[in-house]
Amino acid sequence: GAVVSQHPSRVICKSGTSVKIECRSLDFQATTMFWYRQFPKQSLMLMATSNEGSKATYEQGVEKDKFLINHASLTLSTLTVTSAHPEDSSFYICSASNDYGYTFGSGTRLTVV
Amino acid sequence: GEDVEQSLFLSVREGDSSVINCTYTDSSSTYLYWYKQEPGAGLQLLTYIFSNMDMKQDQRLTVLLNKKDKHLSLRIADTQTGDSAIYFCAESDQAGTALIFGKGTTLSVSS
């Protein structure tokens, strides 16, 4: 079946630094990748939709300059949290749509100290 | 906008059936999904149903869809302790668009 590999699974960074999260579709081409953020004991909130080769579409309230999304190829999408602050600490999950439906990465736990 | 609602908690005994309910507001919802999330992990697709179906059964899982009332349920037969997790209901109105998730139902199974 379809697999999306997301890494790192956990990252701790200092406040003010940037962190890059990668999502790769291993056995299919992901034309569209979705990025979600999940706060503890809460639902997944859609942050942005990225299409290969074009700019990402961000949801209302999500700062595009802070959460940089790049989808340069059909198998790779990245989310960079720039100048991270403790309030950016969260669980980030990517998802790709394909013929099988939606395949999710295993998530990245970001902790900003 | 679209909204998906779920009850937040459900507690059952091992061996009993669990029924997790979900309501949605988007009448154009075409695809409805159930996902399972264990602590610290990503999402695992359990099952899905198309809006032109009323029921779908897959081993211990039964999904019922009442499109008129916009109500979806997931029944887990013979619930086991390993079923303890958060269950998310999600919908999309067309293939390839982002899923809208409910807040998740925490299922606690006691032995």
Side-chain angles (χ1 to χ4, degrees), chain B residues 49-56 63-67 72:
Chain B
I49 191 168
F50 296 125
S51 60
N52 60 356
M53 300 164 65
D54 297 324
M55 187 191 85
K56 182 178 180 182
V63 179
L64 294 178
L65 174 61
N66 182 326
K67 196 176 178 185
L72 182 74

Side-chain angles (χ1 to χ4, degrees), chain B:
Chain B
E2 304 98 346
D3 196 20
V4 178
E5 297 286 340
Q6 297 177 241
S7 53
L8 295 182
F9 298 101
L10 176 65
S11 183
V12 300
R13 286 194 164 185
E14 193 173 22
D16 289 348
S17 292
S18 307
V19 179
I20 301 171
N21 295 300
C22 170
T23 57
Y24 57 96
T25 59
D26 186 0
S27 57
S28 62
S29 293
T30 304
Y31 306 90
L32 296 134
Y33 300 82
W34 284 103
Y35 286 88
K36 176 183 180 182
Q37 186 181 36
E38 297 185 9
L43 295 174
Q44 174 194 351
L45 175 65
L46 288 178
T47 188
Y48 61 91
I49 191 168
F50 296 125
S51 60
N52 60 356
M53 300 164 65
D54 297 324
M55 187 191 85
K56 182 178 180 182
Q57 187 162 0
D58 184 3
Q59 298 183 336
R60 292 191 297 125
L61 305 178
T62 303
V63 179
L64 294 178
L65 174 61
N66 182 326
K67 196 176 178 185
K68 174 176 170 288
D69 294 338
K70 300 190 188 72
H71 181 266
L72 182 74
S73 68
L74 173 69
R75 179 176 180 270
I76 305 172
D78 187 25
T79 312
Q80 303 296 306
T81 55
D83 295 325
S84 294
I86 303 176
Y87 290 80
F88 290 96
C89 168
E91 64 90 14
S92 71
D93 57 3
Q94 57 181 302
T97 60
L99 289 174
I100 306 298
F101 286 86
K103 286 186 166 54
T105 299
T106 298
L107 174 64
S108 175
V109 183
S110 57
S111 56

Side-chain angles (χ1 to χ4, degrees), chain A residues 46-48 58-67 69:
Chain A
L46 179 67
M47 298 174 66
Y58 290 81
E59 295 299 300
Q60 192 172 6
V62 178
E63 299 175 58
K64 60 180 70 175
D65 293 332
K66 180 165 191 59
F67 298 100
I69 291 173

